[in-house]
Amino acid sequence: LLSSSSSSSSSSTNNKNNSGGILAKKSSTFTNVSIPTPQWHAPWQLSTVISSHLGWVRSIAFDHTNDMFATGAADRTIKIFDFAKACVGAPDALKITLTGHISPIRGLAFSPRHPYLFSAGEDKMVKCWDLETNQVVRHYHGHLSGVFDLKLHP
């Protein structure tokens, strides 16, 4: 058994040896190794700008197959684009524009099981869009304020 005086002297000895903090590990085997500092370079390059909305884009969602993506904006519209065509800036990348919200759209989610797109807006509504008919098939109402995001349960 250690007495309280011996345990405190033991811990003070450990603190002297480990002055770099509790997460810093010092190794004596690689003391002469210098780590080169890499030069900074841009991590990515802008390849395409898609200008289709009249307001700020507030939400984006990709289809689970990566064939298309949807954007929702402050202009109260949802625009669905062909992903491959949009990447190269083709003028026919826009597939369709969906209208139906009366306030900015803040959340989008594609259903992985059905051809549905869900949208949430500041108009206190969540809408389910059938992408085969491009119509709203269900309104989810009852929110007391705007809906700013949504996720789908698998």
Side-chain angles (χ1 to χ4, degrees):
L1 286 171
L2 292 174
S3 69
S4 63
S5 63
S6 65
S7 66
S8 65
S9 66
S10 171
S11 65
S12 67
T13 305
N14 288 342
N15 288 341
K16 289 177 187 174
N17 293 339
N18 190 9
S19 62
I22 61 172
L23 296 179
K25 292 184 179 180
K26 294 189 179 187
S27 175
S28 62
T29 57
F30 297 110
T31 55
N32 295 333
V33 176
S34 66
I35 300 173
T37 305
Q39 281 189 333
W40 185 88
H41 66 288
W44 52 272
Q45 288 184 328
L46 181 65
S47 64
T48 305
V49 175
I50 302 168
S51 58
S52 182
H53 284 285
L54 298 177
W56 286 16
V57 174
R58 301 288 188 166
S59 181
I60 186 168
F62 284 84
D63 181 30
H64 67 283
T65 62
N66 283 336
D67 289 335
M68 59 184 160
F69 67 96
T71 57
D75 61 0
R76 305 179 315 249
T77 63
I78 301 167
K79 297 191 182 264
I80 300 177
F81 296 91
D82 183 290
F83 184 51
K85 290 180 180 180
C87 285
V88 295
D92 60 340
L94 179 63
K95 288 183 165 189
I96 192 163
T97 300
L98 302 172
T99 58
H101 281 277
I102 58 173
S103 288
I105 295 158
R106 300 291 249 168
L108 293 169
F110 281 97
S111 171
R113 293 184 179 187
H114 304 288
Y116 292 156
L117 173 69
F118 291 86
S119 63
E122 290 182 22
D123 55 1
K124 306 176 191 173
M125 295 289 292
V126 174
K127 295 178 184 267
C128 176
W129 301 84
D130 185 347
L131 296 178
E132 291 176 344
T133 63
N134 300 323
Q135 298 291 320
V136 176
V137 293
R138 177 106 191 212
H139 297 272
Y140 299 93
H141 55 84
H143 292 88
L144 300 177
S145 63
V147 183
F148 290 88
D149 197 14
L150 63 96
K151 300 283 185 238
L152 296 180
H153 185 273

